[in-house]
């Protein structure tokens, strides 16, 4: 694919039109691709990223090969979109990384965060999905939460009810999709009765 910012991971900015093996080792277990970045979790639980100024500041140097983003080793899930990535740790905490972090989670994050920043203090998150400037997440109790802006997430929020000061907003009770997809202008939801719904920009 496109490799303008090194998101292929081969150390260059050359575009590739055939599959390219990013590393020679076979110790990876989770991957996520954004528009300008790529991310992965290794089997030892470490988290890695490459592409658009992944570990730089602002429009600093791009990472053209995988770079470890955090010293921890208990990462279990990641989701990426155009300018950000959300990650779940084994302790149930939820984290964000990328240029849009301060737009998605304005409480406490810094603009263009180049480190993983915890979203609030809750440790009962079960899963999360990243859009371009929004996040949808589910807690272990089955409740759904959103943060950020754009119609893809705003239509689901019933107001700021998070008790940890993170800015996450709880979705009304009864929202329990089988699957979903989140973008900047649109969210698509598959309900358990087989119906498909969407909302967002026209």
């Amino acid at each position: 694919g496109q490799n303008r910012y090194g998101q292929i991971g081969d150390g260059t900015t050359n575009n590739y039109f055939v599959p390219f093996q990013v590393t020679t080792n076979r110790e990876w277990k989770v991957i996520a691709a954004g528009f300008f970045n790529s991310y992965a979790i290794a089997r030892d639980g470490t988290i890695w990223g490459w592409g658009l100024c992944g570990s730089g500041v602002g429009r600093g140097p791009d990472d053209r090969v995988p770079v470890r983003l955090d010293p921890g080793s208990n990462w279990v899930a990641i989701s990426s979109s155009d300018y950000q990535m959300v990650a779940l740790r084994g302790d149930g905490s939820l984290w964000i990384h990328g240029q849009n972090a301060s737009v998605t989670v304005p409480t406490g994050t810094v603009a263009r965060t180049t480190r993983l920043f915890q979203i609030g203090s809750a440790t009962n998150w079960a899963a999360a999905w990243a859009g371009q400037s929004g996040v949808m997440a589910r807690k272990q109790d089955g409740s759904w939460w959103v943060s950020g802006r754009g119609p893809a997430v705003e239509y689901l929020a019933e107001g700021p009810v998070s008790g940890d000061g993170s800015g996450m907003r709880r979705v009304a009770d009864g929202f329990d999709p089988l699957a979903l997809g989140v973008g900047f202008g649109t969210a698509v939801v598959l309900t358990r009765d087989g119906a498909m719904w969407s909302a967002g920009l026209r």
Side-chain angles (χ1 to χ4, degrees):
Q2 187 189 65
N3 196 29
R4 178 178 180 182
Y5 301 103
Q7 60 265 48
I8 294 293
D10 71 325
T12 75
T13 56
N14 300 326
N15 296 333
Y16 277 80
F17 300 100
V18 295
F20 173 84
Q21 186 172 343
V22 179
T23 66
T24 57
N25 71 62
R26 298 176 181 270
E27 297 300 319
W28 304 99
K29 66 176 183 178
V30 180
I31 56 173
F35 193 46
F36 299 120
N37 296 84
S38 301
Y39 298 95
I41 298 176
R43 294 187 188 277
D44 63 2
T46 55
I47 190 167
W48 300 71
W50 56 103
L52 180 64
C53 56
S55 59
V57 178
R59 269 301 299 127
D62 300 326
D63 292 320
R64 299 180 181 180
V65 295
V67 174
R68 189 170 175 179
L69 299 178
D70 181 84
S73 58
N74 60 340
W75 299 98
V76 296
I78 50 178
S79 176
S80 179
S81 185
D82 291 6
Y83 295 98
Q84 63 184 359
M85 179 265 294
V86 290
L88 183 68
R89 298 192 86 147
D91 62 2
S93 59
L94 187 62
W95 300 69
I96 191 167
H97 175 277
Q99 292 85 358
N100 271 12
S102 62
V103 175
T104 301
V105 187
T107 304
T109 55
V110 294
R112 295 187 174 93
T113 182
T114 56
R115 62 183 176 87
L116 283 144
F117 187 93
Q118 186 174 358
I119 301 175
S121 58
T123 55
N124 60 341
W125 295 104
W129 292 262
Q132 186 186 67
S133 56
V135 169
M136 295 185 68
R138 179 172 51 84
K139 286 191 173 181
Q140 294 169 8
D141 63 5
S143 62
W144 285 83
W145 299 70
V146 297
S147 183
R149 68 185 187 190
V153 296
E154 288 177 355
Y155 85 100
L156 288 171
E158 65 176 2
V161 295
S162 175
D164 58 16
S166 69
M168 296 289 284
R169 295 167 288 171
R170 185 170 179 169
V171 177
D173 290 341
F175 181 75
D176 185 27
L178 178 65
L180 57 86
V182 184
F184 171 67
T186 306
V188 181
V189 177
L190 176 64
T191 55
R192 295 185 183 276
D193 61 1
M196 184 167 61
W197 302 75
S198 68
L201 296 173
R202 298 190 340 176

